[in-house]
Amino acid sequence: MRTQLYIDGQWLDGTGTLEVIDPSDGSVIANVATSSDEQNLAALEAADRVAADWAKTAPRYRAEILRKAFEIMTSEADYIAELISKENGKALPDAKGEVAYAAEFFRWFSEETVRTPGDFRLSPSGDKRILVTHQPIGVSLLITPWNFPAGMATRKIGPAVAAGCTMILKPAGETPLTALHIVDIMERAGLPKGVLNVILPAQTGPAISKLMHDSRLKNLSFTGSTAVGKILLREAADQVIRCSLELGGNAPFVVLDDANIEEAVKGLMLAKMRNGGAACTAANRIYVARSIGDKFIAEFAKAMAALTMGTGRESGITLGASVSMKERNKIAELVDGATSRGAKVHLGAKTPDGAGAFYPATIIEVKKDDEILANEVFGPVAPVVLFDTDEEALALANDTEYGLISYVYSEDLKRGIRFAEAMESGMVAINRGMISDPAAPFGGVKQSGLGREGGFDGIHEFLQTKYIGVEI
Ligand code: ADP
């Protein structure tokens, strides 16, 4: 298990350590090195020093490093899944799903590396040529959250390598072990020294702020909360640093009156319960047509009650722990608040005793203006609201400052597409509970972020467009 920093191709101790906790029992898994300001600057210095040479490497060469990383990661999938489950708490089936998803970013971007398109056109006046090419932006800071410790790292490292950018990775303090293992894989896959560096500052805010004000830094790719995203966007303004921000979500899951209930329940189980609800794509507000409300809630409650909660990596467990007691307590507080305001409990809603950061699968029926609907719960809690008309459902779905993903279930595709087009989100799932796909552009509108990761767009977060005008 790697527990050191990785700077300029060397594994190094830091100036302190940080405890990584197993949230299912509160025990310490490892002490990971934390970086000093000097070490953070050394990482930036290394990334800057090798940037020009790295940018000039052949796309085929970079593609093969990513392909090798995909193969190593796939061959170590079981080990990585256990590591994720241990430091994050999620159930092993979720962790295995994450590893496959994460590795796929390496494969997808290994294929994209050699296919970056350019453009060559005749000017409308006919006497000039318009050449458009794309060049690596340069040193990129990658900041990742704890909910997908592997997926969020590969989703940034993959396109950065593909584009020819050098990197400084700052993983979440709760889950650095998986990120360090991925960096170890990149090293074994042949990534040259200095191209990827990992720091873990003891005081994140001030340390990152220093990097954001160093002229050698050119690009930021951040996944995390909207609150921190806004701080970083303000900091980026000082040097006009390019930003790709994947922020919070508050996904509506709309079940129209003609939906296939069985399919919609299956979809909701994925949309709500994958990762124990700790996903920015998690269905956070469930809107169900009143005419099918009772039947839907009964079926959904059956599926939720069939989950087995416990230590994520043990066999048969389908609902693991939250990442920390702090996160678990936040979930409990939100549910307690809703029940104190009169929410009807259909399942769960009781905080367990003990040292593990557990919260049970919970269904509550709430009024359409209940406060819980304005919060990203990030746990196994499904607040359900009944609605009467499609117009009402659409207005409720869009009544949020977030806009990452929306879900809609209807057997009438026309109706589904009408909804999808009117939903204010960067992604819409029609009759599907999970649409994240390395081959598709992931990202939000409104306060859910800027930019897209994955798909054809993903590499462009690490490239800048250059127009070359030619007189012939
Ligand atoms: P979460 O609620 O998922 O923990 P955060 O936005 O707090 O979301 O954290 C996401 C990532 O951002 C983590 O790696 C965290 O350490 C980092 N982070 C937190 N505060 C700051 C900050 N002020 N500047 C830069 N990164 C930060």
Side-chain angles (χ1 to χ4, degrees):
M1 193 192 286
R2 290 288 187 186
T3 57
Q4 289 173 298
L5 309 164
Y6 186 67
I7 297 170
D8 204 5
Q10 283 188 300
W11 293 95
L12 300 172
D13 285 333
T15 42
T17 57
L18 177 151
E19 286 183 343
V20 182
I21 309 286
D22 177 345
S24 29
D25 59 12
S27 64
V28 177
I29 309 166
N31 287 289
V32 172
T34 52
S35 51
S36 63
D37 279 353
E38 291 71 36
Q39 287 174 314
N40 302 333
L41 283 176
L44 182 58
E45 149 75 28
D48 180 57
R49 196 189 66 242
V50 302
D53 284 344
W54 175 242
K56 279 189 235 135
T57 54
R60 179 68 75 202
Y61 168 71
R62 298 198 303 275
E64 282 174 3
I65 293 173
L66 286 175
R67 176 73 205 193
K68 184 90 192 291
F70 164 73
E71 277 157 17
I72 300 174
M73 197 164 174
T74 306
S75 72
E76 295 176 358
D78 287 346
Y79 171 77
I80 302 169
E82 276 226 11
L83 191 59
I84 294 174
S85 176
K86 225 172 169 180
E87 64 174 349
N88 166 282
K90 71 175 76 175
L92 205 51
D94 283 333
K96 286 187 174 165
E98 180 184 347
V99 177
Y101 174 64
E104 202 53 46
F105 281 102
F106 285 154
R107 177 155 65 174
W108 171 261
F109 282 109
S110 81
E111 293 158 348
E112 285 297 282
T113 311
V114 292
R115 314 225 190 286
T116 311
D119 200 10
F120 180 90
R121 281 188 227 172
L122 193 60
S123 67
S125 56
D127 58 345
K128 298 179 186 66
R129 301 295 178 272
I130 295 170
L131 265 79
V132 179
T133 184
H134 303 283
Q135 296 180 321
I137 298 182
V139 181
S140 300
L141 177 59
L142 319 178
I143 303 180
T144 56
W146 51 258
N147 63 336
F148 290 96
M152 298 303 102
T154 60
R155 185 148 101 174
K156 299 185 188 306
I157 296 169
V161 170
C165 289
T166 59
M167 295 154 271
I168 302 160
L169 171 66
K170 206 302 281 175
E174 292 88 344
T175 56
L177 298 170
T178 307
L180 291 171
H181 187 77
I182 287 170
V183 172
D184 187 87
I185 290 176
M186 295 311 294
E187 187 182 40
R188 282 182 279 150
L191 197 71
K193 72 177 198 162
V195 173
L196 171 59
N197 306 274
V198 184
I199 59 167
L200 195 60
Q203 300 290 328
T204 307
I208 296 299
S209 176
K210 279 204 181 107
L211 295 181
M212 293 292 287
H213 290 95
D214 190 303
S215 62
R216 289 170 292 184
L217 189 76
K218 302 289 190 268
N219 187 31
L220 167 74
S221 176
F222 170 80
T223 301
S225 61
T226 296
V228 173
K230 286 180 183 176
I231 295 174
L232 291 170
L233 194 53
R234 280 189 202 107
E235 302 217 270
D238 293 337
Q239 292 201 87
V240 195
I241 286 180
R242 259 279 284 277
C243 285
S244 152
L245 306 172
E246 298 293 350
L247 310 177
N250 184 0
F253 189 103
V254 178
V255 187
L256 298 179
D257 57 9
D258 67 345
N260 176 324
I261 292 182
E262 198 184 322
E263 289 296 318
V265 166
K266 253 197 238 159
L268 181 53
M269 288 303 291
L270 266 177
K272 176 72 259 179
M273 298 305 288
R274 190 169 63 104
N275 240 16
C280 47
T281 53
N284 203 52
R285 297 171 290 143
I286 326 298
Y287 296 113
V288 183
R290 194 178 303 279
S291 59
I292 57 167
D294 288 347
K295 183 148 194 272
F296 184 87
I297 291 174
E299 293 294 314
F300 179 42
K302 243 193 263 165
M304 288 282 266
L307 295 172
T308 309
M309 184 169 77
T311 301
R313 57 192 177 279
E314 286 173 5
S315 86
I317 297 301
T318 41
L319 174 57
S322 182
V323 73
S324 64
M325 264 307 189
K326 191 173 136 215
E327 282 296 318
R328 194 287 300 271
N329 293 342
K330 259 198 239 168
I331 299 166
E333 231 173 80
L334 285 169
V335 175
D336 294 348
T339 52
S340 74
R341 290 185 296 271
K344 181 172 169 195
V345 177
H346 287 276
L347 187 75
K350 282 203 186 74
T351 310
D353 295 328
F358 295 105
Y359 198 81
T362 293
I363 304 174
I364 49 177
E365 200 177 321
V366 300
K367 292 204 189 82
K368 64 184 177 187
D369 56 357
D370 192 85
E371 221 176 283
I372 195 168
L373 302 169
N375 289 279
E376 190 176 19
V377 181
F378 241 62
V381 175
V384 179
V385 175
L386 302 181
F387 67 83
D388 293 298
T389 65
D390 283 16
E391 290 66 36
E392 184 191 6
L394 189 57
L396 290 171
N398 286 338
D399 185 20
T400 168
E401 70 265 31
Y402 295 103
L404 187 61
I405 186 168
S406 308
Y407 302 83
V408 59
Y409 270 77
S410 167
E411 285 297 274
D412 177 353
L413 195 56
K414 239 191 197 170
R415 213 171 160 199
I417 288 180
R418 260 205 316 269
F419 252 82
E421 289 183 352
M423 281 169 141
E424 295 166 359
S425 55
M427 304 177 282
V428 180
I430 302 180
N431 295 334
R432 291 180 63 187
M434 212 271 279
I435 57 166
S436 296
D437 184 336
F442 183 106
V445 299
K446 292 158 88 174
Q447 293 191 27
S448 285
L450 298 171
R452 294 293 179 269
E453 293 189 296
F456 300 120
D457 305 47
I459 194 170
H460 288 281
E461 301 298 328
F462 293 88
L463 291 170
Q464 51 199 355
T465 302
K466 179 172 278 177
Y467 154 51
I468 303 172
V470 187
E471 182 89 43
I472 300 264

